[in-house]
Amino acid sequence: MAEQNEQQRTLSDYARPAVMGTQSSIVRPPITANNFELKPSFIQMLQQSAQFNGLADEDPNSHIENFLEVCDILKINGVTDDAIHLASITTWE
């Protein structure tokens, strides 16, 4: 029976990565700041200047560039840029 299943697999079946037992590569960075909060005005600024809808005429690279540019405005002691990026995305959604 196992031999029959092996014979029915296509080349694309072998090229597909196995996802069983894998973990996310996104790890939340540690934040040493006591109070870390993104203000609603910052989130609104992100939504207005870095919104990406996936339309055919939109450039995803430009979207990422705009997002990083806006996030670079915000600096908080004890909070890394990566933590600000992740918090911006999770708060935004």
Side-chain angles (χ1 to χ4, degrees):
M1 182 74 174
E3 292 175 10
Q4 186 179 20
N5 287 340
E6 287 295 320
Q7 292 174 355
Q8 293 176 354
R9 293 180 70 180
T10 64
L11 185 58
S12 65
D13 292 335
Y14 289 102
R16 238 178 263 137
V19 293
M20 296 200 48
T22 60
Q23 296 178 344
S24 174
S25 60
I26 299 174
V27 178
R28 292 181 187 258
I31 298 174
T32 59
N34 292 335
N35 295 321
F36 173 44
E37 177 184 350
L38 296 178
K39 303 292 182 189
S41 58
F42 177 74
I43 301 301
Q44 289 174 347
M45 186 185 334
L46 274 173
Q47 289 175 333
Q48 292 172 357
S49 64
Q51 184 73 34
F52 182 73
N53 297 312
L55 300 175
D57 63 339
E58 290 182 308
D59 180 14
N61 294 316
S62 175
H63 160 73
I64 292 171
E65 186 178 316
N66 290 339
F67 174 79
L68 295 175
E69 186 177 313
V70 172
C71 285
D72 284 344
I73 294 170
L74 185 64
K75 299 293 180 196
I76 301 172
N77 286 334
V79 180
T80 64
D81 288 343
D82 287 341
I84 292 173
H85 298 159
L86 287 173
S88 299
I89 291 170
T90 56
T91 305
W92 185 353
E93 295 173 345

